[in-house]
Structure formats: structure tokens, C-alpha cells
Amino acid sequence: MLSTVNKVVGLGLWAWLLSVSAAPAVTNLGPAALNLGTAGGFTILAQTGISTVPSSAITGNIGVSPAAATFLTGFQLTLSSTGVFSTSLQVVGEVFASSYSAPTPVTLATAVANMQTAYTNGVGLLNPAFTNLASGSLGGLVLTPGLYKWTTAVSIASAGITLTGTPLDVFVFQIAGTLTLAAGARVTLVGVLASNVFWVVASGVTAGSGSHIEGVILGKTAVTLQTGATMNGRILAQTFVALQQV
């Protein structure tokens, strides 16, 4: 039976633990990592809203801007005495919205601008090592570091994919269409840090029931994690993020 809990775990401590436990590499075999700026301080950052179901769990800070706190739904928020952030039993971290007290609105505006810049820089990377690999239908593949580009949608079948390399290697996936993970599909890392995996997606992202994704999603539009989907990474979306049950 699939769990009904959606889990999104931030990268900071996990990435550090991986980096000290793996053997050092000589050089990065992929492109340079994308600079997230202050957006890297959020596990989930969205512009128009974040919704959740009561059993979801998030490790790390989340925020919405320019949307107000009313667009954070399902969290049962408790505003801090300073009015700068809220807390929620579903979030191990702090919850921010543009309607909170200073300096939160400016802090969020800067983070959103940094998120948008990171997305633009990711889309603008040239000379991909792989173009339209498997016509966008992935499953059972073992991928090596590099810049991957698709001019269409990408789907990851239930067999999942494996990313293999070293803690210094970088993967950037440029996807012009949607990104969809089938129910139960898993992105598995072997020797690679989730903080060095970037999904730069022009259309929506959907992680199917019980699926698992690793890395940083830089989404131009909405990101949805369905029932029991989990993630180790960050969701940085220029519209909406939904943690749902279906």
C-alpha cells in the first residue's frame, strides 16, 4: 500500500553528509552548478501559492511571494510574535509570506528574483551533451553527468532512472515541455549530490503516487507531488506548488 504522506526534505544537511562520506573527485564532468542565490535557503519557494494535505511533511523553510499568507493552504499556521514568519506542525522550519512583517517581503522578493535568474540561466545553457535522449521517454536508464536537453515533454517510467557520478559532478536537465514521474518511479543517485542535480522545466512537473525525485526543480509553472510522493531537494516554482492526495 502506498503511504499517504508527501515528504520534501531540504538539501543542506543531507548534502553535507553525502559530501563528507564520499571519496573526493578530481573535477566536475558536467556543466557548472546553477547559482540559486538566496532562493537556496528555501525547500519550497513559489510565487502564487503552496497547498498541502495534513499528513505531508516538509523539512526546511518555505515561502510565497508576491502571494500573501492566505495562499498557504492546509498548513494550520501559527504566526510568530514578531510577525516575520509562521510555524506549522507539517514544516520543520519556518514559513514565510509577502504579507508578513519586514524584512520578510524584501527577503522573499530577492529570493524570487534569484530563482527566476537561476531558471533563465539554466534554460540558456548551450552545447548539451545529449539532445532528446530516448525521445523523452525515460525508464531503466543509467545517466552520466552533463547537460541534457529535450524540446518536448519528458516522462520517467516506473522503472525509474539512476544518476551516477561523483560528489562534484553536475546534471542539468533542460525540458521544454512537462516532466512527469510515473507512480512508483524513482530517481536514484549513486555518488552524486542532490544539490548538483537541476531540473529546469518550462511546463508543469508532476510526481506520481509513491514516486521519488532527487535534486532542485526550477519550474516555470506548477509543481505537484501526488499521494505518497517524496523528494530530497528543493522546489522553486514560478507559479504554484501542490502536495496532494489523489
Side-chain angles (χ1 to χ4, degrees):
M1 178 181 297
L2 293 177
S3 166
T4 60
V5 179
N6 302 97
K7 292 185 179 180
V8 185
V9 179
L11 288 172
L13 178 60
W14 178 242
W16 181 82
L17 289 173
L18 282 175
S19 66
V20 298
S21 63
V26 176
T27 185
N28 165 30
L29 297 179
L34 297 175
N35 183 2
L36 303 178
T38 59
F42 293 86
T43 294
I44 302 178
L45 179 64
Q47 291 186 245
T48 64
I50 303 172
S51 70
T52 187
V53 291
S55 56
S56 294
I58 301 167
T59 300
N61 296 333
I62 69 172
V64 290
S65 176
T70 52
F71 292 91
L72 291 160
T73 58
F75 287 98
Q76 298 181 341
L77 298 173
T78 300
L79 188 63
S80 70
S81 59
T82 62
V84 172
F85 65 90
S86 287
T87 58
S88 168
L89 293 178
Q90 295 183 64
V91 181
V92 181
E94 296 173 344
V95 181
F96 298 89
S98 62
S99 55
Y100 289 167
S101 299
T104 296
V106 172
T107 299
L108 285 172
T110 300
V112 166
N114 291 166
M115 169 181 73
Q116 293 170 333
T117 298
Y119 174 85
T120 300
N121 290 341
V123 169
L125 291 176
L126 302 175
N127 303 317
F130 305 91
T131 301
N132 293 326
L133 178 69
S135 299
S137 297
L138 309 182
L141 299 181
V142 177
L143 306 182
T144 55
L147 173 61
Y148 292 73
K149 178 181 179 69
W150 287 273
T151 57
T152 60
V154 170
S155 60
I156 300 177
S158 58
I161 60 172
T162 299
L163 311 184
T164 183
T166 74
L168 292 184
D169 291 335
V170 174
F171 293 74
V172 177
F173 301 105
Q174 294 176 334
I175 302 172
T178 57
L179 170 62
T180 304
L181 277 73
R186 296 187 65 85
V187 175
T188 301
L189 305 186
V190 177
V192 177
L193 299 184
S195 55
N196 284 336
V197 177
F198 301 90
W199 305 88
V200 185
V201 187
S203 294
V205 177
T206 302
S209 299
S211 63
H212 177 76
I213 189 166
E214 298 266 351
V216 178
I217 296 175
L218 286 163
K220 183 67 173 178
T221 61
V223 178
T224 300
L225 271 61
Q226 295 181 345
T227 306
T230 60
M231 179 173 184
N232 175 43
R234 305 189 192 283
I235 303 175
L236 308 178
Q238 295 182 44
T239 60
F240 194 79
V241 175
L243 310 180
Q244 64 179 212
Q245 293 180 352
V246 296

